[in-house]
Amino acid sequence: MNPDVLFELSSVWVVSPVVLAASSIGSAAAVEVDAASWVGSARVAVDDSLVDSMAATIVSYDGGEPIVSHVAVTSNLVVTAGNLHLAASHLTQGVTTLIAVSSAALLDRRALAQLPSGFSLSGSIVGGGPPAFHCSAVEARVAAGAVTLHAVMEATTKGTTSVGSLVVDASSVALVGVYLRPTDADSTALTTAGTTSVAITSSEVQGPGRCMELSGDAATVVVANTTFSHHEVLGGGGGAVVWARDGAVTLQLRHVSMTSNMVLLGKGGAVLVEAGDEGEHAAHVELNDVTFNKNQAQGGGGGAVAIERGTLTAAHVTCVDNEGFGGGGCLHVSDGVATVSDSVIKANVDTLGGGVFALRSQLGVWRTRIMSNVAFNGANVHSRTSSVTLVDCSVEDAEGYESTCAKVYDESTFVANRTTFRGCVSTRDGGALGLYTHSTARLSECSITECESTAESGAAIAVGESELVLVDTMVSNNQVASGSVVKVADKSSLSLVRSVISGNRVAWDGEDGVVPTYPSGLWCEQSSLASDEASVVAANWPYNMACNDCNADGASSHALLGVVDCGAQAAGLATSLPSQTLFPTTGGSTEVPFSPALSVDDLSGVPVAVYVEGVASLGELSSSSSASITVPAGIGALLSLQVFVEGQHSDDSASQVRWCCVRCGVKAAKRMLRC
């Protein structure tokens, strides 16, 4: 017995109420708790009117649960039944708190083997009801820092044993096999300060209230085999599960799930990491085999995870059905570095970047499916002033207003290797990729297919004020409502290296028998094109290519670019109107003259597309100012014939190819489209 302490509990089991009257305690008195445990409805109570900062005082509410206040706990605690409430106290080095689902659990051999030294059990322990260890403003002190707990802990059957523990050693705090929740909706269950290490293993953590707020000079938190759910933060800050701020924080999550967590006013529905302004990428997050589902950030981006001025390494992550409001339905990265591999990012929602949003950051993604995310633009990937790399990825099945699968702009860099873009549907341009405002992109060994623009050009790719290089890349089986599948405009450049743009089409319902006047392949306006001999732009419907004020390199060696004669496009195109006798109903060949003449040396390299009732066939140039075409049998007075000469444009639109069109029969004068 310590002579300076009025009342000491040491290595005892408390099985019945102990009450100390206020009159028996002087101002210098103290009560120490040492290796004591409460069983059943046992309680210890004293009047707290004489509490001073150096004294240890035990207090109890009327409910009968033991409430220990202002105590420095220096040895072990066991909670086997009923509740122990520790308030405004300190857990110091060497303290282990054990929580058992039942008294029998502590007597079980498996559980007994896990008891720390200092515990000895004999006989039977009586008492009923689920035990709980309540912590209110309790500091678990380590050598260079502290962890503050506002939490309720119970044993959980999630792990291999029905005994939960909280262990405080010289440098860390460890929670194993516990069911943990904040004391109320306004509390944070665990807060770090200074240099600390926290480990949570085989546990279940549930809201409301935030789980962890990490700060200090250096905090390391390792969580494994644990679930987090229903944390709600209605006040300031983000990260309903983890808010790491103002320090060199390292957060490691392994075999963890985070479900149905929400922040009202901040970023990061589940996790928000923001390093201090003075420390570049000081905070670091590692995710391995982590699932994020139905988390929300209603006041910012990162429905699941937000990284600001920090780094992220994620592998084998599943991020599904999360929602943000400010960039990144799944992941938001600003002024940071993020690496994602072997993961699935699916069906997340945000205003920008439903899947991933990067701002002034570096983002690398490997072997990952980014799919079915929803946003106004950049539904799957959204990059602003950032560097983004995709390798062996699948970016697919997204719908939005603009640049649905990937939007890259404001001096961003985008690299995709061996990546598939599929099923990207955009109202405007850039279904698979929208590349704008002084950005650069290089796609190597990629495929872009089944993408669609429902209104404007660039169903697969739209480039404005930027540079794009396609290497060993296929753009095929895409559809555009009006315009081209690939659009390069506004002082941009496109280079083709062993690449193919083929099998794309303009949507057409066959009305009036008039074939669309837009190229489904490539549209270049006020920009530059370059191509090697191995690249192909062919078999696009209704025709392959349009050029207006473009500088085409490689014209002497590549037939595609050789037909582009931008110098001749300033003049209008006139087409003679053949008489009806030139189009016998039995079909036959005829000549359609046009002017000005094409200034192309090799006429054999200029394709001519002929359409009658939407049926396409190829004609050929018989001279630089006329095309030889074959009219199918059965052409009549109300049918239409259209002839397209690649590389030219009409007076109606400077960005269309030149086309000539004649209407046959008695209504020709009224119905002829002017060419």
Side-chain angles (χ1 to χ4, degrees), residues 27-112:
S27 60
V31 177
E32 286 189 358
V33 180
D34 182 15
S37 62
W38 280 262
V39 180
S41 60
R43 62 191 177 94
V44 178
V46 333
D47 186 339
D48 64 348
S49 60
L50 299 178
V51 170
D52 85 29
S53 60
M54 298 304 294
T57 306
I58 298 178
V59 207
S60 177
Y61 294 138
D62 293 337
E65 74 177 27
I67 299 182
V68 182
S69 176
H70 298 80
V71 172
V73 182
T74 60
S75 190
N76 299 320
L77 298 172
V78 177
V79 183
T80 59
N83 297 313
L84 169 62
H85 192 152
L86 199 63
S89 299
H90 298 139
L91 299 173
T92 56
Q93 298 175 25
V95 170
T96 296
T97 302
L98 291 180
I99 310 165
V101 172
S102 66
S103 58
L106 286 175
L107 299 177
D108 184 91
R109 290 180 177 273
R110 291 173 301 167
L112 194 61

Side-chain angles (χ1 to χ4, degrees), residues 52 210 286 347 573 669:
D52 85 29
R210 181 181 284 116
E286 296 179 15
L573 173 66

Side-chain angles (χ1 to χ4, degrees), residues 37-237:
S37 62
W38 280 262
V39 180
S41 60
R43 62 191 177 94
V44 178
V46 333
D47 186 339
D48 64 348
S49 60
L50 299 178
V51 170
D52 85 29
S53 60
M54 298 304 294
T57 306
I58 298 178
V59 207
S60 177
Y61 294 138
D62 293 337
E65 74 177 27
I67 299 182
V68 182
S69 176
H70 298 80
V71 172
V73 182
T74 60
S75 190
N76 299 320
L77 298 172
V78 177
V79 183
T80 59
N83 297 313
L84 169 62
H85 192 152
L86 199 63
S89 299
H90 298 139
L91 299 173
T92 56
Q93 298 175 25
V95 170
T96 296
T97 302
L98 291 180
I99 310 165
V101 172
S102 66
S103 58
L106 286 175
L107 299 177
D108 184 91
R109 290 180 177 273
R110 291 173 301 167
L112 194 61
Q114 298 186 26
L115 295 178
S117 59
F119 283 101
S120 61
L121 299 176
S122 61
S124 61
I125 304 173
V126 297
F133 181 37
H134 295 247
C135 300
S136 299
V138 174
E139 277 195 353
R141 292 184 171 180
V142 296
V147 175
T148 302
L149 300 168
H150 288 273
V152 179
M153 281 176 278
E154 301 173 7
T156 177
T157 57
K158 178 181 177 64
T160 57
T161 174
S162 56
V163 176
S165 66
L166 181 152
V167 180
V168 183
D169 65 21
S171 61
S172 67
V173 176
L175 289 81
V176 180
V178 299
Y179 170 74
L180 177 72
R181 67 182 187 273
T183 54
D184 54 59
D186 298 323
S187 298
T188 297
L190 186 152
T191 305
T192 66
T195 301
T196 56
S197 177
V198 178
I200 303 176
T201 306
S202 301
S203 298
E204 299 176 65
V205 188
Q206 192 172 87
R210 181 181 284 116
C211 176
M212 287 181 275
E213 183 174 337
L214 312 177
S215 61
D217 299 332
T220 299
V221 177
V222 179
V223 183
N225 301 305
T226 295
T227 62
F228 298 85
S229 64
H230 299 95
H231 292 276
E232 296 182 358
V233 177
L234 305 181

Side-chain angles (χ1 to χ4, degrees), residues 550-584:
C550 288
N551 297 317
D553 296 328
S556 60
S557 60
H558 190 266
L560 163 69
L561 300 178
V563 308
V564 179
D565 182 13
C566 295
Q569 293 182 2
L573 173 66
T575 302
S576 64
L577 177 62
S579 67
Q580 190 172 358
T581 57
L582 291 178
F583 297 95

